[in-house]
Each structure stands twice: as C-alpha cells, then as structure tokens.
Amino acid sequence: MQHFADALRAAVAAAAEVGIDTVRLEAPRDEKQGDLAVPCFLLAKARGIPPPAMAAKLAAAMAPGGPQAVAEVTASAAGPYLNFRIARPALAQAVFAEIAAAGARYGGSSEGAGKRIVIDFSSPNIAKPMHVGHIRSTILGAALTRIFSHLGYTTVGINHIGDWGAQFGGLVVAIRRWRGEVDLEREPVRGLLDLYQRSKAAVESDPAFHEEAVAAYRELESGREGPVRETWRWVTAVSMRGFEATYKRLGIEHDLVRGESYYENLLEPTIQRIVAAGITEISEGALIVQLSTVDKGLKETPCLLRQTNGTTLYATRDLAAMFQRFEEFGFERCLYVVGSEQRLHFRQLKAVLKRLELPWEPRVEHVDFGLLLGPGRVKLASRKGAVLVLDDLIDEVVDEARRIIQEKNPDLAQADQVAEAVGIGAIVFNDLKRERVKDVVFDKSEILSFEGETGPYLQYTHARLASILRKAAANGEGTAEPDWSVLENAGPILMRLARLGDVVRGAAVRAEPSEISNYLLALARDLNSWYVENRVLGEAPGVTGARLALIRASKSVLGNGLGLLGIRPLEAM
Ligand code: ARG
C-alpha cells in the first residue's frame, strides 16, 4: 500500500509541478469513487488554478499512457478531488505480500519506539471484589496496552490498587476477630468481602470495635513494622491472589502493581512541593488548592490535599503518583482508564498540574467510560448476591457458551477451552464494541449470539476461514498460480485489509479500542457476503488459488485485530 501511495504522491507532485509535501492522500468519502483521493485545494492554490480545473488537468496527465501515468493506477476527477483506483490484481498482490511478511506484526509499526505510555488500569480495591467499573477498566486498559505496544511504544501498565485508607483499620480488626470463620484459601475474594462487610457494620454499630479500628489505622499509618502491618500485608496478598486468577483467565498482565500505599513516603514531599509553588491555602483547617483560575467550572470544588485531622486523600496519593511516574518514565502520555464517575477527580488533578504550570499537563488523560448495565439498563447484579463478582460473571457466560457449542457442534475437540475463549470473547467484545463513554448493556444471550455484532461472531468468522484453509490443504488445493483477475469484486475487502494500520493508529490516538471493533465487524461482514457469492474450493486451480490467498490474508488480519482486543481467534468452534 505504501508503495502505491509513494508512487502516486510523486507522480501527482510531478504533474502539478509542486513539492511532494503539498500532496496529501486520503480515503475518498465514498469507496465507490476510488481507493485513494488527493484533495486539490493546496495544489490549485500553489499553481493559481481553480481546484476542479486542477483535478481535471491532473486526471488527464495521469491517465494510462499519459506522461505521469502510474502503472496499475487510474485517475479520475470528481469536483476538486483527484481519485485513484488501483488495479485489483496489483492491489491484491501488494496487500497479501505485506500481510504475509509482517505476520503477527501486521497493522503495527515502530512509530512509538523509545516513547513510553503509562496506562493505569483495572485498579481494584483490596478486600473487595472488582465491581463492574473495574471490569470495564481491566478490559479497556488491557486492549489499549496491546494497541500501543503494537505501534512500538513501551507501555507501562500500572495496577493502582486501593490498598490504603481508614477502612483498613476496621478490616485488620475484623481479621483479628473472625479470621477463623471464613475460608480464605479456597475463596479469597468472597471470604475477604465477607470480613470487609462485617467490619463496616461493626465500625458503625460497635463503639469498641470502632476505637480499635481507629487505633489500628493509626498504627498502620505510622509505618511501624508489627502485627498490624503484617495483617495488612497479608490481606493485600490474599486479595491480589484472587485478582491475579482473574487476570490470568483474561490473559492480562500489569507491568507494575503499585497500590496507593506505594506512595506513602512521597506524600509529604508532594505536599511540600505544591506548598513551595505558592498555590495552596488553608481553608477551615484543611490544605487546599483553588482551581478556578485555570478551570472556571471548578470554582466550588478546590483540590483537597490534607484534611483538618491531618490525613491525606485519594487525590494527594494520585498527585504523588503522577509526579513519580513522570520522573521515572518521562511518559509521552499517561492514561487513567477509570469510569466517568471520577471525571471531577481527574479534572481537579489536571487543574493542579496547570496551576503548577507543568508543561506535561496535557499528556495526562482521563480515559473515561460509561457504565456496564444489566438488560433493561438496570444496575448489574449477580444471581446470588448483591455484589457482582467478575469471576462469577465469566463463569456464567462460559457455561452458556459451552451449552451453545455442545448443541451446535457436539464433536468439537477441546470444547472446554473453546467455551472459555468464546465466553471471554463475548464479554470483552461487548465492552469494546461501542465508543467507551457510552454505557454498555450486558445481556448474556445477546453477547453470545453467533450472528450479531459480537465477539463470537468474529471468532466464528475466523474459524470459518481456518476451516476453508484446512480443507484446501487436505485436498492439495491452492498450489497453482493464482488468477488474480477473479478478485476484481474484492476491492473493498482488499482496501480494508490494507487499512488495519491506520485503524490501529486512530484507536491509539483517541484511546478508543472500539475503532478496531468496528473495523473487524465491517471486515467480517464483507467477507461473509463475498464468500456466499464466491466459491473458494473446487474451482479452476487459478481461481481457487486467488480466493484462498484472500482467505489466508483475511484470517491473518482478523486474528491480529482480535488479538489486540484481547479475544482469542479460534481455529474451530
Ligand atoms: N481504586 C480506585 C477505585 O476503585 C480506582 C483507581 C484508579 N486509578 C487512579 N490512579 N486513581 O475507584
């Protein structure tokens, strides 16, 4: 593709007698007009001709046989645009060669080499199960990590777990008292949730418990080693073990697990730095930063750095973490994949950076997202209890996937693994298929449908392509010289295959994995309808050869795209 683009730009520049930098290439608004378009405004201006006349003149110059003609490419003018159509046989061969050569790297680049992207994602709270917000953050954040890596960036995925705060006093006391009553080895997530909920209730209703909890938190904050710190450390480890089992299941890893507690020793220096900048005030005994000079909307909501009673806050810890991250990683971008309900929080943090006049403030971005709701747009709850545990949700969907597969394909090998991949694929795609700020509805039967806009639909399409290739190999088909002319009707698919790289880049720029989801849905739709009209196997060897090449390249592109989203491409299902 690059090859055509370069040749075209050079030829247009020569025909228009302008420098090559004046020549822009874009996708035509309507794919029927062509594969690539050159808007003629700049060129016309440079030559002092009206744009439509410029387009017509260039189209004539670049016609086959014209002085600037590019072999395999024809030009036509439509208004102020010069449109190009690449001959299908040439396009097919170039695109297939590129896909085969790049393999799993296709759609990627090295444009991010040497640059770091910090991605704060998942970040659940110790002793509590991941709630639906964490689920979305986990899935979105992991997809973004893969997307940026694909473009050559060094990604630093950080799990900013909630492991600090007064609630840990109560939890330590609850463990002291009731540890023997729950089975934390077998059920770490549920067992800890149980203790956590009991501790919350006891803090409210039992003054002695409350006092003990306050003392425990004070002890924890003192930084001293001893039984309290040991218990806190232990509870963190138990909780993390639970989260890690889920991450493993989803194929997700963080580079660093740095909870809020990690920044404890940096809180005082952070506060001092902000005080030294002269932007703090004392208001009713609390240390605050007024933000209205940099963001009018924050007039009533200054950033609180230290409460009257001396304790720091979530925001203080986040500021300490931001400074630390910038120092350690010198990030190009620092993304916080956190639900929209924390918009105010991140807006405040950015406003503090602005007040500090830190030039890297624009690199800090809140990558926000909407809610995950149940059918009928109600709050999503689990079957058994009020709190939805992510593992239960995955189990439920995987069980249903297993049932569907058993029904559709009872002889499938490794049906359990396939069901796991399909169930997870359904959940992941559902989270990534729409613009992230939109709410997502979780409807088990809908997300598992093999025909809708779903993960399983894409996995099924991939498996279908795999099956065609397997059959071809078994029949010894596809070894003849391809007759590329039969791909005349596959232009839109070829162009789409050629564009994966642009789509991945766009998804990274806007931190929007749904752009890849939409691309994959469109590709699958094109392929499935092309396939109905174009028999692949058992045709004349040249015909079968060309069509198989299209199938092979499409499978590869579909597989890469699914992989970026965190969905396993399946060979059979
Ligand atoms: N633990 C927080 C919560 O559950 C999310 C943390 C997001 N990351 C951050 N750096 N604030 O709400």
Side-chain angles (χ1 to χ4, degrees):
M1 220 30 217
Q2 198 55 48
H3 153 78
F4 292 111
D6 292 345
L8 272 178
R9 289 182 68 212
V12 172
E17 296 172 57
V18 297
I20 191 155
D21 290 338
T22 318
V23 184
R24 302 261 154 77
L25 270 184
E26 49 186 55
R29 229 154 277 152
D30 177 0
E31 63 187 26
K32 283 189 199 73
Q33 289 180 334
D35 304 325
L36 295 164
V38 176
C40 293
F41 307 99
L42 281 178
L43 304 176
K45 200 169 158 208
R47 309 291 313 156
I49 311 176
M54 185 54 149
K57 180 176 140 147
L58 290 175
M62 297 187 61
Q68 311 293 340
V70 181
E72 319 285 8
V73 176
T74 54
S76 69
Y81 288 88
L82 186 62
N83 293 311
F84 293 99
R85 185 178 187 283
I86 307 167
R88 292 340 185 197
L91 179 62
Q93 290 175 78
V95 172
F96 296 164
E98 219 178 300
I99 292 169
R105 294 281 330 145
Y106 183 72
S109 71
S110 54
E111 64 196 72
K115 295 182 194 145
R116 293 208 183 93
I117 310 281
V118 171
I119 305 178
D120 180 312
F121 73 102
S122 191
S123 307
N125 300 317
I126 294 301
K128 292 198 255 180
M130 294 194 208
H131 60 58
V132 288
H134 299 126
I135 299 174
R136 289 212 69 192
S137 172
T138 304
I139 290 172
L140 276 161
L144 288 171
T145 307
R146 292 187 214 94
I147 289 167
F148 281 101
S149 305
H150 205 57
L151 296 173
Y153 291 94
T154 301
T155 55
V156 185
I158 304 184
N159 200 353
H160 189 82
I161 51 172
D163 62 356
W164 207 246
Q167 71 273 25
F168 285 93
L171 188 63
V172 165
V173 177
I175 290 166
R176 224 180 250 163
R177 296 200 181 172
W178 307 310
R179 180 179 185 152
E181 296 172 26
V182 289
D183 188 350
L184 293 177
E185 282 311 313
R186 281 207 15 241
E187 299 239 282
V189 176
R190 235 177 300 268
L192 282 179
L193 175 64
D194 191 34
L195 289 178
Y196 178 76
Q197 286 173 335
R198 280 174 77 176
S199 81
K200 293 271 284 192
V203 165
E204 301 271 311
S205 63
D206 177 351
F209 187 98
H210 180 243
E211 211 171 291
E212 210 179 320
V214 169
Y217 187 54
R218 204 174 301 124
E219 173 67 17
L220 194 58
E221 275 201 311
S222 77
R224 272 192 294 274
E225 283 301 326
V228 169
R229 191 154 271 266
E230 246 162 61
T231 305
W232 167 79
R233 215 173 265 141
W234 172 83
V235 84
T236 303
V238 172
S239 232
M240 279 311 297
R241 228 183 296 136
F243 297 144
E244 263 149 24
T246 310
Y247 294 144
K248 190 155 175 228
R249 211 171 166 189
L250 294 169
I252 284 171
E253 264 177 69
H254 285 88
D255 299 288
L256 300 168
V257 178
R258 284 183 181 170
E260 294 181 36
S261 68
Y262 179 88
Y263 305 96
E264 264 308 279
N265 292 329
L266 298 172
L267 295 177
E268 231 8 80
T270 297
I271 291 176
Q272 287 323 316
R273 171 176 179 175
I274 300 173
V275 170
I279 62 168
T280 54
E281 286 166 36
I282 303 286
S283 167
E284 295 168 36
L287 185 68
I288 65 162
V289 180
Q290 288 289 2
L291 304 170
S292 59
T293 50
V294 290
D295 186 338
K296 283 194 188 62
L298 298 178
K299 200 155 176 258
E300 309 294 329
T301 47
C303 181
L304 203 55
L305 295 178
R306 187 159 45 206
Q307 284 174 313
T308 323
N309 66 10
T311 49
T312 58
L313 296 107
Y314 180 51
T316 327
R317 294 190 276 279
D318 254 332
L319 283 168
M322 264 177 203
F323 295 149
Q324 195 280 335
R325 287 171 191 183
F326 188 70
E327 256 149 55
E328 183 171 352
F329 304 112
F331 51 70
E332 181 81 5
R333 293 170 76 180
C334 180
L335 310 180
Y336 290 86
V337 188
V338 185
S340 301
E341 65 280 1
Q342 291 194 29
R343 249 181 215 164
L344 174 63
H345 171 71
F346 287 102
R347 192 168 159 190
Q348 288 176 314
L349 298 183
K350 279 174 69 70
V352 173
L353 301 184
K354 276 189 204 147
R355 284 220 60 193
L356 290 169
E357 294 173 19
L358 291 168
W360 48 270
E361 177 275 330
R363 302 192 202 178
V364 173
E365 298 167 50
H366 179 201
V367 176
D368 58 351
F369 53 82
L371 301 169
L372 182 61
L373 299 166
R377 301 187 59 86
V378 295
K379 193 165 176 254
L380 196 58
S382 76
R383 276 181 301 195
K384 296 161 227 154
V387 180
L388 181 95
V389 178
L390 176 52
D391 262 302
D392 289 349
L393 185 93
I394 300 178
D395 282 341
E396 201 180 316
V397 179
V398 167
D399 283 347
E400 182 65 11
R402 191 176 296 114
R403 201 189 57 69
I404 296 172
I405 290 166
Q406 177 63 33
E407 194 182 287
K408 290 198 187 219
N409 190 355
D411 304 322
L412 182 67
Q414 299 185 309
D416 274 338
Q417 271 118 298
V418 173
E420 176 87 6
V422 169
I424 289 173
I427 294 173
V428 169
F429 193 77
N430 185 47
D431 243 38
L432 300 179
K433 77 175 175 185
R434 301 256 180 273
E435 250 180 291
R436 60 181 154 71
V437 293
K438 299 216 168 109
D439 292 342
V440 164
V441 174
F442 176 88
D443 179 328
K444 197 171 48 181
S445 60
E446 202 177 300
I447 68 174
L448 276 168
S449 153
F450 282 24
E451 274 116 50
E453 299 189 329
T454 66
Y457 167 66
L458 295 176
Q459 288 172 310
Y460 185 70
T461 303
H462 184 273
R464 195 167 166 192
L465 303 180
S467 144
I468 298 170
L469 292 171
R470 271 196 305 275
K471 281 189 198 135
N475 301 345
E477 289 189 83
T479 49
E481 182 59 30
D483 171 4
W484 299 116
S485 71
V486 301
L487 296 182
E488 199 50 52
N489 61 5
I493 299 179
L494 295 171
M495 283 308 295
R496 216 183 280 292
L497 294 175
R499 286 203 177 110
L500 177 65
D502 293 341
V503 173
V504 174
R505 199 169 304 118
V509 169
R510 287 174 286 279
E512 190 59 87
S514 66
E515 295 181 10
I516 297 179
S517 312
N518 288 325
Y519 168 87
L520 294 176
L521 284 175
L523 177 62
R525 241 180 270 124
D526 281 358
L527 280 169
N528 286 320
S529 45
W530 175 84
Y531 176 74
V532 173
E533 320 250 285
N534 296 272
R535 224 168 71 136
V536 176
L537 301 177
E539 296 288 317
V543 173
T544 291
R547 290 181 180 160
L548 276 174
L550 178 71
I551 299 281
R552 195 172 297 114
S554 302
K555 172 176 178 269
S556 173
V557 170
L558 204 50
N560 285 7
L562 284 171
L564 288 173
L565 299 183
I567 299 172
R568 223 178 93 195
L570 293 167
E571 296 298 312
M573 74 183 259

